Structure formats: C-alpha cells, structure tokens
C-alpha cells in the first residue's frame, strides 16, 4: 500500500514543475508500439527470474550441473593433504560489495570444509576489513559444520596490507616460504594476477583460478592448471551455497538463454531458405 | 644444475631488463615496416569522410590517463580529420580521473592548430557522474544533464549549443574508450536514438567490440595504438601511432620468444622427469 | 624551449623513472612518488566534485531560479551520512534512488539495446555471402555463438548433444581468449612504448 | 522505516525509468524520467565525495596513530590539499585558482598525475613478459590452442610480424582478421555479451524489486 500512496505524492509533486510541457510532439503515438518486442522480452525475462527465485525460496529442488572447476578444487586440496602442505586461498582483491568477491567467499566455504575434514593447513590473505570479517565467518562455520571446531585456527584468514602490489609482495613471500601445494584464486583480480600465478608456478603449486574479468582470463588460463571462466564463477558459488536469490537468478537466465538459442536456430534456418526476413524483423530494435 | 634448471631459476629482473632494452632499441635504430589497414579502420574513416562538412560531431574522451599511449593518438587523429572537414566538435568525458581535463587540453591544442574558436567551433561539456544517466539524459536534452560547459559557462552563452539540443542534432559520435563505457554508447545511444557511432578502443577492449561492428552498432573500430597508426595512415598524418607501432615489433618478438623458451624448458624438464633422470 | 618548459619535462621524467624504479626493487623514492600520486587522485576529485556537481548542477541552477534542484542536492548531502557508522541508514534512500533509477536504465538497455541486436545479427543465412569464404564465415559465427551460449548453460548435464556442443564451445572460446591474450599483450606493450618514447624523444631529446 | 522507504524509492525510480521507455517522450512519465535521470547525476555525484572523505580519513588516522609508513601518508595528505584547495577557490581571485587551463589544478594534473598514471600501467608490460617465460605453459590442448592463437595475433599486430606473415602464401593477415577476429572471436564475444547482459538485467530487476539489498549494508 505504501508505494501507491507515495507514488501519488510524487505525481502531484511532478505537476508543480513549470518546465514540464506536454504540448510537444502530440502527433507521435502515446504508446511506442514499435517497441513491443522489447516489452515482450522484458516481461518474459522478469517472469522467468521471479518464478525461479520463488521456487528456489520455496526449497523446490532446482538442478544445477556440477561445475568441473569444483572437482579440480577438491582434487587440489586432496593433493595438498597427501603432501601435508598448506592450501592458499585468495577471495580476490576487491571490496565485499563486488559480486566476484562474494562468489569467491562462498567457494572459500567449500574449500574450508575439505581442509577441516582432512586437517590441512589453510591460509587466506585478504585486503579489506569487510572481506576479512566475511571470510572468517565462512571458515569458522565450515569448521563447525565438520565438527572440527577445536582445530579452527583464528588467524587462518589474515589481513594483509591494503595497497595492491604490497599485498602481492607479501603473498608472494608466503608462497616461496611455505610452498603451498594448492593456490586457489577466486574473485576479482587485476594486473597482480600475473605476479601471483608466476610465483605460484615457481613454487610448484597446483593453481586454480576463477574470475569474471575478461582481460585477466586469458592469462589465468595460460598460467593456471584450471580456470573458472566468467559466469562459471557465479554458477559454482550458486551450486555450493544454493542461496535462493542467486540460484533463482541463474536458473532464470538459463531459461532465457535456451529460448535465445532456439530462436536463433529458427532464424538461421528460415533465413538460409530465404523466407526469414519477417522473422528477423521481429527482433529489430528501434 | 642443467642449463634449463638455471634458466628456470633466472631472476625475473633480467627479463625486465630485456624488455626495457627491446623497447629502447627501435627508437635508436628504427627499422620501419609497412602497416596494413584493417577493414574496420577503413569503414570508420569512410564514415567520417562521408559526413557533410560542418556537421555536428561528438568526440567522447572515455579513457583514463593510464592509457594515453593508445587513446591520445586516436583522439588527435580524429580531431585532425574532423577539424579539416570544419565539423563542429562537442567533447565530453565520463571518466572521474582526468577525463574532462584531457578533453579540454587535447581539444584546445588541436583547435589552436586549425584556428577554431571556442563556443563557435567546439565546446567541452566536461564530466557528470553516472555515465548511464548522462548517455540516456542527453537523448532528451543535453542541457538537462550539462547546464554549463566544463568551465562553468551556461550553454545559452555558447552559440554552437543553440543548434545542438540533443542527439537528433548530432550527426556522428566518435567514442574513444579504455573501458566498458563504450558498451553503453551502443546499448543506449545507438539502440534508442540511432546515432552512428565510431569507436577507438584500447587493445584490451577491441576484441569484444568486433561483435558491435558485426551487428552494425559501431560503424568502425580502431584497436589500440595499432588502430591509431592505421587511422593516421588513412588521413596521412603519420604521428605517435605509427612511430609507436614500429617500436613495438621487437618487444612482441621478445615475448613470443619467452613463451616458446619457457615451454621448451617445461617440456624438456618434464620429459626428463618422466624418464626419472632428473 | 623556455626554462619553464624544460623544468616541466624534467618533472615528468623524474616521476616516470621513479615509478619504473619499482621494477628493480621497492625503494623510498618509489614510495614517495606513489603516495603523492594517491593524494593527487583524491585532490583531482575534490576539484571535480566542487565544479562539475556542486556549482554547475546544484548551486548555479538554483541561483538561476530552478529551486527544485535543491531536492536532489539535499538527497546528495544525505549520502554523506554513510561516513558515520551510526547514521549510515540516513543515506539509504539516496542510494536506493540512484541504484533503482540506474537499474531501470540498465534493465531496458541490456535487453533492448544488447540482447535483441546481437540475437538478430546472428540470424544470418549460412549460404548467404558470395563464395566459399563467406559461407565458412557465417557457419563459424552461428556455431560459435550457439556453442558459447551452451557452454555457459548450467541447467542440464553436459552430455550427449549438449556435451558435444559444449566441447566445440570450449575450442571456440580458446581461440577467442587467444586473440584476447594477443591484443592485451599489444595494449600493455603500447603503454610501455609510450613512456619510452617520452623519455627518449621528449626528455633526452630536449638536451641533445 | 529504515528499509521500506529505500525499497519503495528504488521501486518507483526503477519503475518510472522502465515504463517511460514504452511511452512518448512528452508525457508526464517521460518528463518524470528526464528529471529522475538528471537527479541520478546529481545525487550520485556526491558518492564521489564519500570516496574522497574515506581516503582522507584513512590517511589522517594512519598519521595520527603513527601507523606503518605514516611519514609517506603525510605526503598523500599534502598532495590532496595542494591540489584540492586551489581548485575550490574562485578563479576571479587569481588565474592560478579554479580548474581551468593555467591553474595549479590543471598543471598538477597535466605534468604530474597524467605521466604518473601512464607509467604505473606501463609496468604491466614487464609483468607479462616475465609471466610469459615462467608461467604460460601449453599444459593442456586448450591452453595450447590459446597460446598458438595468441602468438599469431601478436605477430599480426606488429609491422615486423605482419611482414613475416606476408611471406606465407595467401593473405594471412586478412584471413586472421576475418576468420579469427571477426569470426571465432566475434562469435564467442557475442555469446559472452548475451550471457553478461542477462546477468546484468537480472541484477537490475532484483534491485528494483527490492530482492537484492546488498547496497543497504548491515542493520
């Protein structure tokens, strides 16, 4: 109810503006019928996202395929356990309000469960206080869930200097000293990603990365053993956390993606046989 | 310690030194090679060349000072081309770190060369927050977003702005960008107002912009300093773009050699590891 | 070249060399210059906020009679409450307006201005263009787009036809990332060449 | 009160901006959209002040509490005031003030900030070269395809490399531009653009409807 009352106030307020004149191009049609295709897309899209989010909230089992990158993560942590060497996890170098950092922290939760189970030493350097708090919470919760509350070490998650290259130098120093068996980089990374991956390579660690930054992906793919690409990072964290809003959003987008694939196939077939112009024109944006 | 093991433990600063030397040598011993022009650069040149002389064009400085090596030569070449055609140039920037100041200084430098008068031949609108709102707002009225120009002069006092109220008065937009702001010139300005847009992007952004060139949302594309060199060749005013690209060959060859060397070492030592020799 | 211009060249050259010195080792000179740089970036923004927003968008129009510009100005000032822990909630309405309105523009521009045109341009005739080359190009584009979309599809196991398409997708993605790798290297090297060109042609050139 | 008002504000702002797209510009909702769009630039502009204030506060406390590197932080504060204060003072007092060409503000940007920022990013070329040697490995068929394509593109984009490629039969540069850049790469970029657009639209929808409240922070 509140939003109707409030919108009434806003509308009346709008009437006060002297510069608002409605006498301009009266000739044009009131409703932009030429943008029907956009209206249909917006409505279908919104319906898909909202429906899937409601189903996810209601606990309906929504299938998400397992992301191969997660198997690589578990395999790497397993290897670290066999060799009795630590696991290094970096949830990106951005603040907590960056979506990639949130995805990184939720994957940290998964890794922490495995290291808790096998009592493998875990080191998580972070750059911002908010990320520190969120990561500590996630790691502690993982250790508690695995019944290893006692072996949870408070400074697993460590706050390292804020500046980008100072942070990298400190982490590189740790890599060369401790020689972790597995380095996992999940989140937003920039130029320092090269320095981290290079030092990790020199230290002989298995390296797995995940980021959505397009300009960093090619370097991570060339430098790491496995890389989660763009959306896979979000899909992995949704797969793990089953968080309703994230899962609903992902499933809704998948549904629209499949409609787009089908429509494009129909379009290509029709146009190839020379009778597709009317169909292609449906998607004309004006 | 075999040759490969010593090479593998090499201090990275030797590699830095090699890159530095490879960057300096071509300036001392230039060895110019011909530079080919891509169809995307040519179609951008043709689009600007086809503009009627004196038409209103927006030149947008959407790059940070960090990429002036790639973007400033593009801006200078574009302004040469536009001022030569007596186009009226309106500049603005969506970059909070230096964007409006670069728009002011680079445009004024070029305008002096062609004897252009501020307020009549060119205007700098400067910066406003929220590029999405700026791009969308200028569709209805530029003045609603930019009440004044960069130095605070109300638009009413600038003769050029009398004839430029919104995008329908703009014949062409030359977007120079090193980040995703260019994506919104495509999805808001071109999609909703149909203004033709040519893009000069940094090399990091260029591969993505091929998709917008294919769908016609960009009429042409210049990729990084290489794109600047190609445009300089097209308007035959060879400058920093061409000089820079000639100097780049050696560093590229060095990096390719390093990749090959690194992989050779990797496969040889791994081969030896498998045979249990190491 | 006047004395003042030479002084300016030397300022730029010293700062450039000081920052490049980090390549050798982190050192006090680098730290001094880096901290000055951090300060100047903030200083620049003070000037920007004062002129571009406060004077030109609020104070100027209000003096010129547009009294209602005070409303967004007020909401803007409320945004500053985010600095204090206790009263941070005061800024929520301002932030909500900016995020909500921007989201409104995004929702339309992403679907109408990006999804529709990119979809439409992929509906191309496979035998369209002239000759074998154009046909090959159309086939590459259509298969590339569809297999990439399928690769980033999570609602079904990548098995059978879907699995095969995703395999094709990964090959296309590797070619695209390879191209992106090559371009990114070119871009970063260009930035280095730009500085080397300044040092040699402008700075050293000035006293030869 | 602390949550409903912001959520309703976000809903109204987003709803007006979305619906106005489907109606003629000169309607009430069209004018509302134009005013709201202008408001984003004004209200949002003050968020820049948040960034400025928090950096000044971080450096100020670091100096006050003699934290690590505090002498350097003094330099940061001096630079902030050295550039900020002259720009805020009216140019009518002296041409050195304000932000127009000829002012201290303009000089500090052109001859200090611009070269410094350009140099900071130029160092990336060094990191790439060293990583090229020590980290980029063709450890899998996919990584091999990536490195081969990257090498071809790196050759094609520089004059010396392009001359070398032209030694081969056929027009290799033209083939690379049409089938690699404009073909496979363009197709993949298009797929990623569509996926990312759906992701952004989904986030925007959730924000308008108040499902996504990340910006509200704690409490």
């Amino acid at each position: 109810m509140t939003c109707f009352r409030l919108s009434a106030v806003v509308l009346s307020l709008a009437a006060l503006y002297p510069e608002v004149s409605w006498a301009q191009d009266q000739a044009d049609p009131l409703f932009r019928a030429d943008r029907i295709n956009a209206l249909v897309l917006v409505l279908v899209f919104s319906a898909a996202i909202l429906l899937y989010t409601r189903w996810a909230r209601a606990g309906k089992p929504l299938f998400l395929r397992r992301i191969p990158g997660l198997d690589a993560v578990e395999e790497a942590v397993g290897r670290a356990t066999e060799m009795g060497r630590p696991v290094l996890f970096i949830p990106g170098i951005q603040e907590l309000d960056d979506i990639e950092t949130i995805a990184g922290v939720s994957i940290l939760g998964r890794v922490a469960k495995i290291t808790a189970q096998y009592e493998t030493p875990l080191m998580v350097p972070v750059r911002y206080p908010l990320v520190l708090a969120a990561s500590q919470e996630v790691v502690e919760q993982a250790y508690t869930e695995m019944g290893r509350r006692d072996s949870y070490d408070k400074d697993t998650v460590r706050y390292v200097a804020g500046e980008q290259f100072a942070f990298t130098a400190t982490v590189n120093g740790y890599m060369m000293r401790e020689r972790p068996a597995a380095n996992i980089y999940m989140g937003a990374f920039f130029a320092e990603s090269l320095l981290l991956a290079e030092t990790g390579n020199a230290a002989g660690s298995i390296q797995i990365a995940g980021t959505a930054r397009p300009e960093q992906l090619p370097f991570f793919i060339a430098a790491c053993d496995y890389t989660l690409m763009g959306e896979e990072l979000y899909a992995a964290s949704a797969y793990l956390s089953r968080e309703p809003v994230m899962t609903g959003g992902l499933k809704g987008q998948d549904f629209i993606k499949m409609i787009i694939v089908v429509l494009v196939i129909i379009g290509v077939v029709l146009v190839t046989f020379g009778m597709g112009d009317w169909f292609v024109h449906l998607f004309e944006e004006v | 310690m075999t040759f490969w093991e010593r090479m593998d433990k090499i201090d990275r600063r030797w590699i830095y030194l090699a890159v530095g030397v490879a960057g300096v040598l071509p300036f001392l011993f230039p060895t110019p090679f011909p530079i080919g022009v891509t169809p995307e650069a040519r179609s951008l040149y043709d689009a600007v060349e086809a503009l009627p002389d004196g038409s209103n064009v927006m030149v947008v400085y959407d790059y940070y000072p960090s990429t002036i090596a790639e973007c400033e030569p593009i801006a200078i070449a574009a302004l040469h081309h536009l001022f030569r055609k007596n186009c009226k140039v309106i500049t603005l920037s969506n970059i909070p770190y230096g964007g409006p100041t670069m728009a002011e200084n680079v445009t004024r430098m070029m305008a002096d060369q062609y004897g252009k008068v501020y307020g009549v031949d060119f205007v700098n609108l400067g910066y406003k927050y929220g590029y999405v709102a700026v791009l969308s707002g200028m569709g209805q009225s530029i003045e609603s977003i930019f009440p004044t120009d960069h130095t605070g002069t109300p638009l009413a006092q600038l003769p050029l702005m009398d004839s430029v109220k919104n995008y329908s008065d703009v014949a062409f937009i030359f977007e120079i960008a090193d980040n995703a702001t260019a994506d919104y010139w495509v999805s808001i300005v071109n999609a909703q107002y149909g203004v033709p847009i040519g893009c000069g992007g940094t090399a990091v952004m260029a591969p993505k912009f091929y998709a917008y060139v294919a769908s016609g949302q960009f009429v042409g594309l210049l990729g990084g300093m290489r794109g600047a060199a190609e445009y300089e060749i097209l308007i035959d005013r060879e400058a920093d773009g061409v000089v820079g690209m000639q100097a780049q060959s050696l560093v590229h060859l060095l990096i390719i050699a390093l990749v090959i060397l690194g992989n050779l070492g990797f496969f040889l030592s791994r081969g030896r590891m498998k045979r249990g020799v190491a | 070249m006047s004395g003042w211009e030479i002084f300016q060249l030397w300022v730029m050259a010293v700062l450039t060399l000081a920052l490049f010195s980090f390549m050798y080792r982190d050192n006090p000179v680098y730290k001094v210059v880096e901290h000055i740089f951090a300060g100047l970036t903030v200083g620049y923004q003070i000037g920007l906020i004062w002129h571009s927003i406060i004077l030109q968008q609020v104070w100027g129009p209000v003096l010129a009679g547009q009294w209602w510009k005070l409303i967004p100005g007020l909401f803007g000032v409320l945004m500053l409450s985010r600095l204090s822990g206790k009263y941070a909630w005061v800024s929520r309405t301002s932030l909500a307006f900016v995020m909500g309105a921007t989201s409104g523009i995004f929702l339309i521009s992403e679907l109408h201005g990006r999804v529709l045109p990119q979809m439409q341009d992929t509906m191309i005739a496979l035998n369209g263009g002239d000759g074998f080359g154009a046909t090959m190009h159309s086939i590459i584009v259509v298969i590339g787009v569809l297999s990439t979309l399928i690769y980033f599809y999570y609602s079904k196991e990548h098995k059978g036809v879907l699995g095969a398409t995703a395999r094709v997708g990964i090959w296309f993605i590797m070619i695209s990332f390879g191209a992106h790798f090559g371009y990114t290297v070119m871009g970063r090297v260009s930035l280095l060449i730009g500085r080397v060109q300044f040092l040699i042609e402008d700075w050293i050139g000035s006293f030869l | 009160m602390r949550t409903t008002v912001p959520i309703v504000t976000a809903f109204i702002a987003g709803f007006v901006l979305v619906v106005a797209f489907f109606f003629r510009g000169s309607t009430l909702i069209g004018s509302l959209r134009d005013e709201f769009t202008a408001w984003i630039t004004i209200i949002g502009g003050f968020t820049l002040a948040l960034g400025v204030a928090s950096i000044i506060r971080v450096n100020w406390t670091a100096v006050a509490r003699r934290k690590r590197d505090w002498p350097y932080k003094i330099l940061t504060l001096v630079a902030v005031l050295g550039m900020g204060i002259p720009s805020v003072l009216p140019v009518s007092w002296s041409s050195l003030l304000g932000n127009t060409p000829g002012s201290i503000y303009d000089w500090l940007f052109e001859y200090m900030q611009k070269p410094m920022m350009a140099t900071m990013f130029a160092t990336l070329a060094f990191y790439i070269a060293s990583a090229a040697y020590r980290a980029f490995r063709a450890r899998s068929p996919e990584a091999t395809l990536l490195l081969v394509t990257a090498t071809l593109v790196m050759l094609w984009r520089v004059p010396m490399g392009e001359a070398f490629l032209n030694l081969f039969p056929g027009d290799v540069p033209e083939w690379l531009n049409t089938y690699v850049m404009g073909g496979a790469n363009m197709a993949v970029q298009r797929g990623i653009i569509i996926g990312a657009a759906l992701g952004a639209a989904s986030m925007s929808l959730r924000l308008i409807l108040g499902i996504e409240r990340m910006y509200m922070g704690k409490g």
Side-chain angles (χ1 to χ4, degrees):
Chain A
M1 236 340 265
T2 49
C3 75
F4 292 116
R5 222 181 310 106
L6 200 62
S7 52
V9 165
V10 170
L11 290 180
S12 57
L13 219 170
L16 290 176
Y17 292 170
E19 70 166 327
V20 167
S21 65
W22 297 315
Q24 287 160 359
D25 45 20
Q26 291 298 49
D28 294 353
L30 180 65
F31 175 74
R32 291 290 301 267
D34 48 2
R35 287 179 169 164
I36 286 278
N37 54 5
L39 183 60
V40 167
L41 178 56
V42 167
L43 294 178
V44 169
F45 177 81
S46 307
I49 299 287
L50 296 179
L51 265 177
Y52 274 105
T53 305
R54 181 182 299 143
W55 289 335
R57 278 211 175 120
K60 191 166 182 286
L62 298 171
F63 177 78
L64 277 177
R65 72 176 166 86
R66 188 165 171 68
I67 309 293
L70 289 177
D71 302 336
V73 166
E74 281 160 12
E75 205 186 300
V77 177
R79 179 167 178 257
T81 316
E82 285 156 27
M83 300 161 68
R85 277 160 54 199
V87 170
L88 173 74
F89 187 101
I90 305 176
I93 61 159
Q94 281 289 76
E95 258 295 12
L96 198 58
D97 61 8
D98 190 302
I99 304 171
E100 289 168 273
T101 312
I102 294 171
V105 170
S106 70
I107 294 174
L108 168 62
R110 175 70 188 148
V111 169
K113 280 202 188 103
I114 308 169
T115 55
Q117 195 178 350
Y118 298 112
E119 305 228 334
T120 321
L122 172 65
M123 152 73 165
V124 184
V126 291
R127 243 184 107 201
Y128 289 100
L130 278 180
V131 181
L132 176 73
S135 303
Q136 276 171 336
E137 199 184 311
V138 157
V139 172
E140 192 171 356
Q141 193 193 343
Y143 273 72
T144 319
E145 267 171 39
M146 301 304 286
R148 283 284 198 296
R149 188 74 188 70
D150 45 11
S151 68
Y152 165 65
D153 166 6
K154 184 95 175 62
D155 59 19
T156 305
V157 185
R158 232 166 287 173
Y159 178 70
V160 177
E163 194 273 331
Q164 176 184 14
F165 287 107
F167 173 85
T168 310
T170 314
V171 173
N172 282 350
Y174 172 84
M175 278 187 198
M176 292 315 283
R177 271 194 322 277
E178 303 292 331
R179 290 196 173 273
N183 300 336
I184 302 169
Y185 317 111
M186 292 286 169
F189 287 92
F190 299 93
E192 79 297 329
S193 61
L194 289 174
L195 279 173
L196 291 169
E198 185 194 321
T199 314
N201 206 306
S205 327
I206 280 191
Q207 300 196 102
I208 295 158
T211 185
R213 304 270 147 182
E215 68 276 3
Q216 291 309 325
L217 269 178
F219 297 130
F220 269 138
I221 292 169
C224 297
D225 297 283
Y226 197 93
T227 306
L228 284 168
M229 288 184 280
E231 286 175 42
E232 281 183 314
L233 178 68
Y234 304 132
S237 68
Y239 176 84
L240 292 172
S241 62
R242 286 291 164 182
E243 197 269 333
V245 171
M246 215 175 210
T247 312
L250 204 65
K251 290 291 287 181
Q253 287 165 49
D254 259 11
F255 175 77
I256 300 291
K257 231 178 253 181
M258 208 27 82
I259 290 181
I260 290 174
V261 166
V262 168
L263 286 176
V264 166
I265 291 173
I266 294 170
V268 167
V269 167
L270 285 177
V271 171
T272 303
F273 293 107
M275 47 184 182
D277 290 347
W278 62 276
F279 185 80
V280 172
H281 191 65
L282 288 179
F283 302 90
E284 191 64 33
E285 109 272 358
V286 178
Chain B
M1 268 264 268
T2 69
F3 167 75
W4 288 113
E5 272 152 14
R6 209 176 315 107
M7 281 297 283
D8 202 39
K9 297 284 176 293
I10 196 170
D11 180 332
R12 66 168 66 118
R13 281 175 296 196
W14 287 112
I15 295 172
Y16 295 166
L17 187 63
V19 169
V21 168
V24 168
L25 281 181
F27 285 103
L28 307 178
F29 313 102
T31 54
F33 281 87
I35 293 180
V37 175
T38 54
E40 287 78 13
R42 191 173 299 285
S43 55
L44 175 55
Y45 172 79
D46 294 342
V48 175
E49 193 58 28
L51 289 173
D53 282 14
S55 42
N56 301 325
V57 174
M58 257 186 188
V59 176
V60 187
Y61 291 72
D62 277 346
Y63 60 89
Y64 286 79
S66 45
T67 55
I68 50 173
E70 294 181 274
C71 294
E72 200 157 282
I74 292 176
I76 288 169
L79 289 170
H80 270 304
H81 197 184
L82 292 169
F83 281 139
R84 202 167 62 189
K85 287 170 64 67
N86 290 322
C87 286
K88 307 290 181 190
V89 171
I90 297 126
T91 62
L92 66 140
S93 170
N94 292 296
I95 302 300
Y97 289 133
T101 310
M102 287 192 289
E104 185 86 19
N105 296 346
V106 173
T107 315
R108 276 186 190 275
M109 176 184 73
M110 293 307 296
D112 294 346
Q113 282 183 30
Y114 286 83
K116 297 292 177 180
V117 175
Y118 187 78
V120 174
D121 300 313
F122 70 103
V123 162
N124 179 24
L125 297 173
Y127 166 85
K128 289 294 177 276
Y129 175 85
Y131 54 90
V132 175
V134 170
L135 272 52
S136 178
M138 288 201 290
Q140 196 59 27
S141 133
I142 291 177
E143 197 162 9
S144 69
I145 302 293
F146 293 95
T148 74
D149 73 353
H150 178 55
T151 55
T153 321
L155 294 196
Q157 295 168 17
L158 298 166
L160 172 56
M161 297 316 287
D162 293 344
S163 59
V164 184
K165 289 301 170 201
N166 51 40
Y167 291 133
S168 45
D169 309 322
V170 175
F172 189 80
I173 294 175
F174 203 115
E175 158 75 353
I176 305 161
D178 69 354
N179 60 74
T181 312
D183 288 71
Y184 294 95
W185 283 98
V186 165
S187 63
I188 296 173
V189 178
N190 181 265
Q192 294 178 20
Y193 299 97
V195 188
I197 301 177
C199 177
T202 54
V204 171
M205 301 305 299
K208 176 180 182 180
F209 292 158
Y210 269 85
Y212 297 133
V213 175
S215 63
Q217 293 176 293
F218 276 151
V219 296
L221 172 66
L222 304 177
M225 185 189 266
R226 174 60 190 246
E230 290 172 20
Y231 202 71
E232 282 168 6
I233 290 167
L234 287 166
I235 62 171
D236 68 60
R237 287 193 71 91
E238 301 197 5
D240 286 353
V242 170
V243 170
M245 277 321 290
Q246 296 296 359
Q248 226 172 289
S249 301
L250 207 56
V251 183
H252 274 228
L253 298 184
L254 171 68
I255 289 179
I256 292 170
L258 287 171
V259 170
I260 293 167
L261 208 60
N263 277 284
L264 264 182
F266 172 70
F267 285 110
L268 288 180
S269 57
R270 205 169 64 158
R272 244 196 347 285
M273 213 75 80
K274 278 208 186 80
R275 294 197 302 277
V277 165
Chain C
M1 222 179 198
S2 75
W4 179 245
E5 278 165 357
I6 289 177
F7 168 71
Q8 284 170 176
L9 267 178
W10 276 81
V11 165
M12 294 201 279
V14 165
L15 293 172
T16 302
L17 293 174
L19 287 173
F20 272 144
S21 70
F22 181 76
M23 287 293 103
Y24 178 65
R25 194 164 29 77
D26 191 355
N27 57 73
V29 173
Y30 170 80
K31 271 200 167 147
V32 164
V33 171
E34 197 208 353
H35 279 82
I36 291 175
F37 171 70
L40 289 181
T41 309
V42 173
Y44 183 87
Q45 289 224 299
I46 292 174
L48 191 73
I49 297 163
W50 177 253
H51 287 283
S52 294
I53 294 149
I54 297 174
L55 288 189
Q56 293 171 10
Q57 284 190 297
V58 180
W59 194 244
V62 164
L63 286 188
Q66 297 178 3
W67 56 269
W68 59 87
K69 289 291 182 194
L70 276 179
I71 303 170
L74 176 69
F75 275 106
V77 171
L78 285 182
M79 187 77 85
L80 302 180
S81 70
R82 243 179 132 67
L83 285 172
S84 81
K86 217 152 80 67
Y87 296 103
W89 62 272
V90 170
S91 70
R92 279 203 194 138
T93 311
S94 312
L95 204 54
F97 176 84
V98 173
M99 301 286 274
T102 309
S103 297
I105 301 176
F106 270 129
L107 185 61
I108 293 295
S109 76
E110 291 303 310
L111 295 179
H112 165 265
R114 218 184 300 288
V115 170
L116 280 183
Q118 294 298 318
M119 258 173 76
Q120 186 196 22
D121 190 66
T122 313
M123 300 175 187
I124 43 177
L126 293 183
N127 52 12
D130 45 7
F132 176 72
T135 310
M136 271 307 295
H137 184 262
S138 310
I139 293 171
I140 288 175
V141 166
V142 170
I143 294 177
V145 173
L146 295 180
S147 57
T148 305
L149 283 171
I150 300 281
Y151 181 82
F152 291 109
Y153 181 72
Y154 307 103
S155 296
K156 277 205 178 48
E157 283 298 349
H158 273 178
K159 290 197 180 60
V161 172
L162 221 57
T165 321
R167 287 283 336 134
V168 170
I170 195 67
W171 292 106
F172 271 91
I173 289 169
M174 283 306 137
I175 292 173
S176 172
F177 280 169
H180 203 165
F181 183 112
Y183 261 82
T184 304
V185 168
M186 178 178 91
R188 305 308 189 200
V189 172
S190 298
L191 303 185
L192 172 65
I193 293 295
R195 297 321 297 159
V196 169
Q197 185 174 2
F198 159 74
L199 287 174
I200 292 179
E201 289 184 356
D202 300 347
W203 181 47
I204 295 173
S206 73
F207 48 78
L208 277 189
Chain D
M1 189 18 212
R2 290 190 181 185
T3 44
T4 36
V5 169
I7 287 178
V8 165
T9 315
F11 172 75
I12 289 175
F15 183 77
V16 164
L17 268 293
V18 170
V19 169
F21 175 74
F22 297 105
F23 288 92
R24 193 179 58 220
S26 62
T27 52
L28 169 70
I29 196 154
S31 310
L32 253 184
R33 173 196 54 183
D34 301 336
E35 199 56 35
F36 280 7
T37 307
W39 281 20
I40 298 175
T41 62
I42 299 169
I43 301 173
F46 284 85
T47 50
L48 295 176
L50 284 181
V52 167
S54 60
I55 290 177
I56 292 175
R57 186 167 54 175
V58 161
N59 282 293
W60 184 264
T61 42
V63 171
R65 298 212 190 108
R66 298 288 189 279
K67 283 197 185 145
R68 206 163 57 88
D69 283 345
W70 66 272
Y72 293 109
K73 303 270 196 264
I74 295 180
L75 280 175
T76 303
L77 293 173
V78 166
V80 166
L81 301 179
M83 190 165 188
I85 292 180
S87 72
V88 173
L89 301 175
V91 69
S92 51
W93 293 0
S94 138
S95 72
L96 288 178
L97 306 176
N99 69 346
T100 52
S103 63
I104 296 170
Y105 180 83
D106 187 77
W107 190 90
L108 284 174
F109 171 77
E110 196 65 33
Y111 295 103
M112 289 189 73
Q113 196 176 0
K114 200 169 157 186
M116 284 202 278
M117 202 164 186
T119 310
M120 283 268 196
F121 279 77
T123 55
L124 299 180
F126 292 107
Y127 299 145
I128 284 181
S130 132
Y133 175 62
R134 290 174 39 147
F136 298 154
R137 295 290 182 265
R139 50 170 60 78
S140 66
E142 289 88 352
T144 311
L145 180 58
L146 186 143
L147 286 176
V148 167
T149 315
T151 305
L152 279 174
V153 166
M154 277 193 274
L155 277 175
W156 163 51
R157 288 282 76 186
V158 276
M160 209 183 282
E162 193 174 9
F164 170 71
L165 288 178
N166 279 329
L167 300 177
F168 294 90
D171 188 347
V172 173
E174 202 266 334
W175 181 84
L176 274 173
N177 189 53
T178 311
Y179 295 101
V180 173
M181 292 312 298
N185 164 67
M186 190 276 285
V188 170
Q189 296 289 355
R190 181 165 282 175
I192 292 173
I193 283 171
I194 291 174
L198 294 179
S202 165
M203 172 60 82
S204 307
L205 180 73
R206 297 202 299 257
L207 240 156
I208 294 171
L209 299 177
I211 302 169
E212 181 63 59
R213 299 178 183 173
M214 195 170 50
Y215 63 90
M216 303 270 250
K218 299 180 295 307

